[in-house]
Amino acid sequence: MGDEKQIIRQLHIQTGACKRLTNDLKMYIEEKNDYMKKLKSLEDSKADKYKIKTQRELLEETCAVLLDTYGKAKEAYAKLDKMMVAITNGGQESIQNSEEAKKAAVQLVATHGVLNPKKKTTSSQNNDSNSEAGELKEGDLRNL
């Protein structure tokens, strides 16, 4: 029974870490998109070179942190996934049916969605008038 409590505790900790990193990743993606829009606006309005340089530096710093956070989120996801697979394959039904395992499964799906967004098809890209050109979507780090 003590081993079961320890496993559930570790599951809780890893789920929390995965959730925090997923939220951080979403925030940095949003921040990057905001900086890109502001930089484009400054460039279009032919603003002072110093302001443009400063904005570009902020964007570069955010991209660096974004890449780091992406790596950490990917590691946390892999660790949580490995724990859930071990629980499932170990036949530990009481842990599988626990509230913590259910939360972990939901978090795995959420994190997977951020790390691996669905790709748009060419026809939907043409129809998506609300999307900014070059705007980073959750999990799309290829634009960095």
Side-chain angles (χ1 to χ4, degrees):
M1 187 70 174
D3 189 41
E4 185 176 303
K5 284 184 180 181
Q6 183 65 20
I7 292 170
I8 289 176
R9 183 174 184 274
Q10 288 301 314
L11 194 59
H12 175 76
I13 291 168
Q14 196 57 41
T15 301
C18 200
K19 182 176 184 178
R20 177 183 50 81
L21 288 165
T22 301
N23 288 336
D24 287 352
L25 188 59
K26 287 179 184 179
M27 183 208 51
Y28 287 124
I29 290 169
E30 185 177 316
E31 186 176 293
K32 179 190 178 286
N33 290 335
D34 290 344
Y35 283 149
M36 286 177 66
K37 287 177 187 175
K38 188 170 182 182
L39 179 62
K40 184 172 176 9
S41 172
L42 287 172
E43 289 173 342
D44 290 346
S45 68
K46 299 193 188 315
D48 181 48
K49 287 183 180 183
Y50 177 76
K51 287 183 179 180
I52 292 172
K53 180 183 175 191
T54 303
Q55 190 63 36
R56 189 170 285 125
E57 288 171 356
L58 289 170
L59 178 60
E60 289 171 0
E61 288 174 16
T62 298
C63 288
V65 174
L66 179 61
L67 287 172
D68 183 55
T69 304
Y70 179 83
K72 289 177 182 178
K74 196 172 178 181
E75 287 176 23
Y77 173 84
K79 190 172 181 181
L80 184 58
D81 187 50
K82 185 177 178 180
M83 288 178 72
M84 290 296 287
V85 167
I87 290 168
T88 303
N89 292 343
Q92 300 166 319
E93 281 193 38
S94 60
I95 298 174
Q96 289 176 23
N97 296 328
S98 70
E99 191 64 33
E100 209 52 58
K102 292 174 186 173
K103 288 179 185 177
V106 168
Q107 188 58 50
L108 279 172
V109 170
T111 302
H112 186 270
V114 173
L115 294 174
N116 305 296
K118 292 181 180 177
K119 293 182 181 180
K120 290 182 180 180
T121 62
T122 307
S123 62
S124 68
Q125 286 178 342
N126 295 338
N127 295 334
D128 189 8
S129 60
N130 295 332
S131 178
E132 293 287 324
E135 185 171 309
L136 181 67
K137 303 296 182 220
E138 292 177 4
D140 185 12
L141 296 179
R142 292 170 293 282
N143 291 337
L144 296 177

